[in-house]
Amino acid sequence: MVTAALMAASGQTIEKVSQHLGVTEPISIAGPADADFVKTRKLEKFLVSAGLYENQDEAVLREEVLGRLDQIVKLWVKQISRNKGFSDQLVLEANAKIFTFGSYRLGVHGPGADIDTLCIGPRHASREEDFFVELHTILADMQEVTELHPVTDAHVPVMKFKFNGISIDLLYARLALWVIPEDLDISQESILRNIDEQSVRSLNGCRVTDQILRLVPNIQHFRTTLRCLKYWAKRRGVYSNVTGFLGGVNWALLVARICQLYPNAVPSTLVSRFFRVYTQWRWPNPVMLCAIDEGTLGLPVWDPRKNPRDRMHLMPIITPAYPCMNSSYNVSLSTLRVMMEEFQRANEICETLETNKAEWNVLFEAYPFFEAYKNYLQIEINALDDDDFRKWKGWVESRLRQLTLKIEKHTYGMLQCHPYPCEVVDDSRKGRHCAFFMGLQRSQGVPQQEGQQFDIRATVDEFRHSVNMYMLWKPGMELHVSHVRRKSLPTYVFAGGVRPVRPLRSSAVISKSALRPTLSHSVSQLPKSDSGITDEDLEDISGGAERLKRKFQTPDDVVLGKRHHSSPSMNGRLNSGDESIAASHSPLVTSNKQLVMGGEEVLENIMKQGLEVYSAEEELEALNEVSTSVLRRDDSAEQLHSKFEQESDRGQSRLSVLTSGSCSFPNGVVDELEIYMWSPLF
């Protein structure tokens, strides 16, 4: 029964049903048990302790600010009516009205959150001159108003400012009415008649928010559940519409649908059912709170049967107010995959919560983004002053989704790109700057093929070119894209500026005295100036991961490369080997190219053969971050040195002997060998 209802809810079958909220029957109408009330109280206590509720003083201040703003726009519209020569009677009747939407209107805003507001004005109050010039001038002259920034070129034009410290985003809709009634009902379709497209989009936020509140069975349960899910999404790094995840309205629609499917459930149950349902949801079947209203005004609505672009949407979440649109068109293959993995993790935790084997705090553990991947793209932006930086950052951020889509397209979906939804700032640097990061890895389920390569240099160049086409570009607006390894991430991305210590993996440990003679003998085969690793470095190899990392670190580069034993020359492309990165440099390989392996593979084989090497995880990772070659000893030191000089003259590598001995490998036995490491010269 539950399975059938869930299938219907996900859009697989739609049947005519009796009176209820939503497009399908509920999955369950069961009421809560005593244990559910207990869990809900614990959840609410956790949300309070997390600081998600504003205090009474801030709540009162918000009401006062909204009341003051409503007075200001009323005076503004009378002023422009008088300036345009309207009669005294029309000036007296002239009116404008403030509406709220978003998290504040839904009742789920937190301390310090901004208020999404909409000013509705009459037909003679224009957006370009009256709203963005006259009203802007009035606000600019007020002491209570600070940080006033008009954004006229946005998809939905907005005026941003702070009023008595409260952040306000103010939109404008110009109706086809001479007088705006004080009891205006914006839910009516007729309100959209004969107005411009920007006004339709501006009205959409209020109309959708009001419709959501009409379509949930219990508003208080909806609010608690939504507050919980928004906090979870932010902690797990999947709250950001602009980078391809989900924003506030998307989460509100998803939660509202769960409230419809479980109309009598309390918040603790609704949270659990949220993850159970959406873990099983068969995307791209749409999430809808009501049937799509095609309207009578001819405005385009979401309909994949008629609109080819709508068929490309991966995670459609449809707004319930006319014109019904997909609110989550920004979602990409990579971000959908990340969200589905997070839904699965949360569902498993909720199952343990139901059996009292876990506490709520486990669900909300922060996602360790800067520890989760071995490879990242770093997108740094700079500008000369605050105004330029705000414009430049907004433009670059709006284009990050295109970079994700291009990487997916050019690698045929085999390379997963996980954007970090927040900007990161280095407080130690002067000037206006910030950085965005993207985690990179092979997509799960994609088989590794020998010799397979990815080259995203052209993709990144294309992204740079599109960003630099910004029409408002000014000198000082800079963009830098680079590849950075996990171990080379700047410390400012970590909490407190401290890089977390990775746990060591248990492994064979030997005495330094047993190790050093072999290493010293190998180093003597080449001139000291070219060896790259000195005796001093080898003196404390058991704790020398950081020195090895510094010495053999590859340069920041957008080119990715993986090493594989059958690919002696990477040329900066991605190979199906281990997870580490090689820059666009060729490793030194002898002419016979007999054996070339990843560093960890080499060391593991040596250890199996009894040649003792200290192999704590930190050292293995440090060694594995550079290309490693296994060379026959019948290549004399002079020959090797000559090959090294050829590479060095091109600025491509520094050769170092790591160890020597004899052991066998799967593709041959080498009586005596040396392991050489290369790293780029800076």
Side-chain angles (χ1 to χ4, degrees):
M1 179 67 181
V2 171
T3 302
L6 180 56
M7 289 176 64
S10 65
Q12 296 171 57
T13 60
I14 301 294
E15 300 177 1
K16 189 175 181 179
V17 294
S18 58
Q19 280 271 308
H20 55 76
L21 292 172
V23 295
T24 63
E25 292 182 350
I27 292 176
S28 171
I29 59 173
D34 291 342
D36 297 324
F37 286 115
V38 173
K39 289 186 178 70
T40 295
R41 285 194 293 270
K42 288 184 177 180
L43 174 60
E44 291 172 341
K45 183 178 179 180
F46 176 85
L47 297 178
V48 170
S49 66
L52 301 185
Y53 294 86
E54 67 179 358
N55 59 41
Q56 186 61 30
D57 291 341
E58 186 175 355
V60 171
L61 179 59
R62 288 178 185 273
E63 292 293 334
E64 292 175 350
V65 166
L66 287 173
R68 184 77 178 96
L69 188 59
D70 191 59
Q71 293 174 356
I72 292 169
V73 298
K74 283 175 166 48
L75 293 173
W76 159 73
V77 78
K78 291 181 183 299
Q79 176 180 309
I80 62 173
S81 298
R82 185 178 296 108
N83 293 342
K84 293 186 178 186
F86 285 83
S87 66
D88 292 342
Q89 182 63 31
L90 282 177
V91 170
L92 182 64
E93 295 176 351
N95 189 34
K97 188 170 174 59
I98 291 291
F99 290 83
T100 62
F101 62 101
S103 62
Y104 183 81
R105 176 71 179 93
L106 290 172
V108 295
H109 61 286
D114 59 4
I115 305 179
D116 295 313
T117 56
L118 169 68
C119 173
I120 294 183
R123 63 187 303 166
H124 60 275
S126 69
R127 175 180 292 102
E128 292 76 11
E129 295 179 3
D130 297 323
F131 181 76
F132 278 115
V133 177
E134 297 298 332
L135 181 58
H136 179 275
T137 301
I138 294 173
L139 293 172
D141 291 339
M142 299 181 64
Q143 291 185 346
E144 305 101 310
V145 176
T146 58
E147 301 180 24
L148 179 60
H149 296 298
V151 187
T152 59
D153 56 345
H155 185 64
V156 181
V158 60
M159 195 128 61
K160 294 175 174 285
F161 56 93
K162 286 187 177 181
F163 198 109
N164 283 338
I166 301 296
S167 296
I168 302 289
D169 285 356
L170 181 61
L171 311 184
Y172 181 68
R174 176 188 183 185
L175 301 189
L177 301 173
W178 288 108
V179 178
I180 303 299
E182 194 62 26
D183 59 351
L184 179 68
D185 181 5
I186 62 173
S187 66
Q188 300 300 313
E189 179 185 314
S190 59
I191 206 77
L192 305 176
R193 193 179 304 276
N194 298 324
I195 66 174
D196 60 82
E197 188 176 346
Q198 290 175 319
S199 293
V200 172
R201 290 197 291 262
S202 297
L203 280 162
N204 192 51
C206 289
R207 288 165 52 80
V208 167
T209 302
D210 290 350
Q211 190 72 342
I212 289 173
L213 293 175
R214 294 189 188 100
L215 291 172
V216 293
N218 187 308
I219 291 178
Q220 189 54 49
H221 289 173
F222 163 75
R223 285 173 171 165
T224 301
T225 307
L226 178 56
R227 194 182 294 271
C228 171
L229 267 298
K230 287 181 65 175
Y231 181 60
W232 172 85
K234 291 175 182 178
R235 295 285 290 173
R236 299 305 297 174
V238 291
Y239 189 96
S240 172
N241 183 275
V242 70
T243 56
F245 293 109
L246 301 181
V249 67
N250 309 127
W251 292 108
L253 292 168
L254 291 181
V255 170
R257 185 65 181 123
I258 298 302
C259 291
Q260 292 179 340
L261 295 174
Y262 299 90
N264 299 315
V266 292
S268 62
T269 303
L270 291 171
V271 170
S272 175
R273 297 304 180 265
F274 178 95
F275 294 116
R276 179 182 298 182
V277 169
Y278 291 122
T279 295
Q280 302 177 53
W281 199 273
R282 297 188 180 181
W283 305 105
N285 289 316
V287 172
M288 299 185 295
L289 301 186
C290 58
I292 293 178
D293 181 6
E294 296 189 2
T296 61
L297 302 180
L299 297 174
V301 298
W302 187 81
D303 189 346
R305 298 169 302 177
K306 299 178 181 178
N307 308 321
R309 292 186 64 179
D310 292 346
R311 298 172 200 158
M312 306 300 293
H313 295 165
L314 301 176
M315 193 182 189
I317 303 171
I318 310 305
T319 56
Y322 177 77
C324 300
M325 302 299 293
N326 176 24
S327 64
S328 53
Y329 60 87
N330 275 350
V331 173
S332 67
L333 283 170
S334 290
T335 54
L336 176 59
R337 188 179 296 113
V338 170
M339 286 188 284
M340 292 305 295
E341 291 171 357
E342 287 300 321
F343 288 164
Q344 182 62 46
R345 168 194 175 271
N347 184 51
E348 293 170 359
I349 293 174
C350 286
E351 289 177 354
T352 63
L353 281 167
E354 290 183 353
T355 58
N356 297 313
K357 294 180 180 179
E359 298 295 331
W360 283 109
N361 63 295
V362 178
L363 180 66
F364 299 97
E365 289 179 352
Y367 181 72
F369 178 82
F370 292 107
E371 301 172 55
Y373 295 93
K374 291 188 176 181
N375 310 304
Y376 297 84
L377 284 185
Q378 179 175 343
I379 300 98
E380 288 189 280
I381 61 173
N382 304 276
L384 296 180
D385 57 48
D386 289 347
D387 189 54
D388 285 354
F389 179 76
R390 178 183 56 81
K391 295 176 181 177
W392 183 233
K393 182 175 80 71
W395 169 252
V396 174
E397 191 173 17
S398 71
R399 307 305 298 171
L400 291 178
R401 172 177 167 267
Q402 296 301 318
L403 178 57
T404 301
L405 294 175
K406 289 179 186 298
I407 290 175
E408 289 177 354
K409 179 181 178 181
H410 295 169
T411 62
Y412 303 98
M414 291 186 286
L415 189 62
Q416 179 174 317
C417 183
H418 181 176
Y420 187 59
C422 305
E423 64 191 74
V424 187
V425 178
D426 182 0
D427 293 329
S428 65
R429 285 180 54 184
K430 295 182 180 180
R432 301 296 287 132
H433 69 277
C434 72
F436 298 95
F437 288 85
M438 293 184 176
L440 297 168
Q441 69 176 13
R442 180 181 294 273
S443 298
Q444 290 187 6
V446 175
Q448 294 188 5
Q449 300 177 15
E450 184 173 329
Q452 186 178 25
Q453 300 175 336
F454 299 119
D455 187 343
I456 65 170
R457 287 173 292 188
T459 305
V460 172
D461 287 341
E462 186 178 334
F463 168 73
R464 283 199 193 98
H465 178 73
S466 67
V467 169
N468 288 326
M469 295 295 289
Y470 182 46
M471 297 297 293
L472 301 179
W473 183 91
K474 294 181 180 179
M477 293 181 175
E478 297 178 350
L479 170 73
H480 303 282
V481 184
S482 59
H483 158 247
V484 59
R485 300 180 187 223
R486 180 173 59 201
K487 287 202 166 194
S488 303
L489 284 168
T491 55
Y492 67 80
V493 305
F494 301 106
V498 178
R499 188 184 305 276
V501 178
R502 291 175 59 80
L504 294 180
R505 184 173 55 195
S506 59
S507 54
V509 180
I510 61 155
S511 66
K512 301 173 200 172
S513 59
L515 176 65
R516 179 170 175 175
T518 303
L519 293 166
S520 300
H521 175 72
S522 299
V523 171
S524 66
Q525 300 297 315
L526 290 175
K528 288 289 184 181
S529 60
D530 294 326
S531 66
I533 297 182
T534 66
D535 286 350
E536 181 179 296
D537 290 329
L538 301 174
E539 183 71 34
D540 191 20
I541 194 169
S542 62
E546 287 300 314
R547 281 201 302 277
L548 286 169
K549 181 174 65 177
R550 288 194 299 270
K551 189 171 291 294
F552 295 109
Q553 196 173 68
T554 57
D556 288 344
D557 198 312
V558 298
V559 183
L560 305 183
K562 291 185 178 180
R563 295 183 297 283
H564 192 274
H565 67 273
S566 65
S567 300
S569 180
M570 281 73 70
N571 293 323
R573 290 185 287 271
L574 214 59
N575 285 285
S576 57
D578 58 64
E579 290 293 327
S580 57
I581 292 291
S584 54
H585 300 277
S586 299
L588 176 68
V589 181
T590 56
S591 56
N592 56 26
K593 300 182 181 178
Q594 175 111 12
L595 294 169
V596 178
M597 298 185 179
E600 186 168 353
E601 184 180 354
V602 170
L603 291 178
E604 287 178 350
N605 274 282
I606 290 174
M607 289 168 62
K608 290 176 183 177
Q609 301 292 331
L611 205 110
E612 297 173 314
V613 176
Y614 184 88
S615 60
E617 181 175 317
E618 288 291 323
E619 277 71 21
L620 275 177
E621 286 199 12
L623 298 178
N624 201 33
E625 282 189 358
V626 294
S627 186
T628 304
S629 302
V630 181
L631 310 174
R632 283 188 176 278
R633 283 289 292 275
D634 55 22
D635 281 330
S636 67
E638 290 76 16
Q639 290 174 313
L640 293 177
H641 184 50
S642 174
K643 297 175 186 295
F644 164 68
E645 281 187 327
Q646 294 173 10
E647 296 285 329
S648 181
D649 288 341
R650 294 195 295 270
Q652 288 186 299
S653 64
R654 175 186 291 117
L655 184 66
S656 303
V657 183
L658 203 59
T659 187
S660 68
S662 62
C663 61
S664 61
F665 291 87
N667 53 346
V669 177
V670 180
D671 293 329
E672 285 193 287
L673 56 86
E674 291 179 336
I675 299 176
Y676 294 87
M677 300 181 71
W678 67 274
S679 67
L681 291 172
F682 297 98

